[in-house]
Amino acid sequence: MSADQVPTLALASAAAFGLALLSAVAGFGGGVLLLPVFTVLFGLRVAVPMLTLTQLSSNGFRAWLNRRELRWGLIGWFALGAVPFAIAGGLLLAHAPLGALKRVLGAFLIGVVVWRRLRPHPGKPSDRSFAAVGAVSGLGSALLGSVGPLTAPFFLAYGLTRAAYIGTEAASALTMHLSKIAAYGAGDLLTVRVLLFGLALTPATLAGTWVGKRIVGRISDRVFVALVEIGLVAAGVLFLIGL
């Protein structure tokens, strides 16, 4: 890593710390907000696999910190759909039309919040339905780097909050990110530059996750859900305007 890349690394590390903290508090959001930062700094084709490397450490650490509250059945069903579709999406990344897909996803995320407000007590999804959630998330995440907000409504509707939600969502995402890494490697997207920056950003990501874990236990379930919904709208707007 050359000396002229140090300022870029410092800026990326600061962003990784802050948004890992956000993910640890809200259960998602760091990745989807970090993608525009990485895209400006490194370009989209580099940003997506680099973001996946930072999410690998962030989600792994969040799952470990909340390991006593994990819902393994949901994780298994999610992985059943996420793994094959994440691999397919990772192989398609080099040629996918990302702009239109991001705008569709942005409209969906905002629509989800409106739907939750119109139906504040939706029916609880079945365990098996998380295979479909995983499939859509796996494909979208492989192409866009992060679609954590896409899974949030389903985990919330299932009744998970705080540690159970954060840990289960993180462990589910981990199965997806591991599959994406394998696909990016097969597609020659894991360059030396991507690997070096991904490794260099890991300490900031882990530190942000640890600080966020200390904060989440101090907020109420009502505030927690409100944070998640605010994040959904913010992520939807970012996708709609093309960031």
Side-chain angles (χ1 to χ4, degrees):
M1 189 178 300
S2 61
D4 60 342
Q5 292 179 315
V6 173
T8 300
L9 177 60
L11 180 57
S13 295
F17 173 86
L19 295 173
L21 188 154
L22 173 64
S23 290
V25 171
F28 77 95
V32 75
L33 297 175
L34 194 56
L35 181 60
V37 178
F38 279 8
T39 300
V40 170
L41 294 176
F42 308 110
L44 186 60
R45 301 297 178 186
V46 173
V48 171
M50 188 181 297
L51 178 60
T52 298
L53 289 173
T54 64
Q55 289 178 309
L56 199 63
S57 58
S58 176
N59 281 284
F61 196 34
R62 279 160 51 203
W64 172 256
L65 289 174
N66 298 283
R67 60 191 179 279
R68 293 184 179 86
E69 302 292 335
L70 298 182
R71 304 295 178 86
W72 289 104
L74 293 185
I75 295 167
W77 281 111
F78 185 95
L80 186 65
V83 170
F85 279 86
I87 292 173
L91 295 174
L92 287 171
L93 176 62
H95 307 289
L98 303 182
L101 183 59
K102 289 173 74 172
R103 287 174 173 80
V104 170
L105 180 58
F108 172 79
L109 295 177
I110 294 173
V112 162
V113 175
V114 174
W115 174 76
R116 279 181 54 80
R117 289 297 173 179
L118 294 175
R119 296 189 61 192
H121 303 291
K124 180 180 177 180
S126 67
D127 289 18
R128 292 185 178 184
S129 67
F130 279 85
V133 175
V136 175
S137 299
L139 182 62
S141 181
L143 293 173
L144 299 175
S146 175
V147 291
L150 183 65
T151 65
F154 300 97
F155 285 104
L156 290 173
Y158 192 83
L160 301 182
T161 58
R162 303 175 71 148
Y165 167 70
I166 293 171
T168 301
E169 190 277 336
S172 298
L174 192 60
T175 66
M176 181 170 60
H177 295 318
L178 288 169
S179 304
K180 287 159 54 181
I181 289 294
Y184 294 152
D188 295 325
L189 293 175
L190 290 181
T191 62
V192 173
R193 184 187 183 204
V194 169
L195 292 172
L196 286 177
F197 269 92
L199 181 63
L201 291 171
T202 297
T205 301
L206 296 180
T209 301
W210 184 85
V211 173
K213 172 63 176 175
R214 305 277 74 78
I215 294 174
V216 73
R218 302 179 181 180
I219 61 176
S220 68
D221 287 348
R222 183 177 180 180
V223 172
F224 175 86
V225 173
L227 285 173
V228 173
E229 291 187 336
I230 291 170
L232 286 171
V233 173
V237 171
L238 287 175
F239 278 131
L240 281 174
I241 64 178
L243 290 180

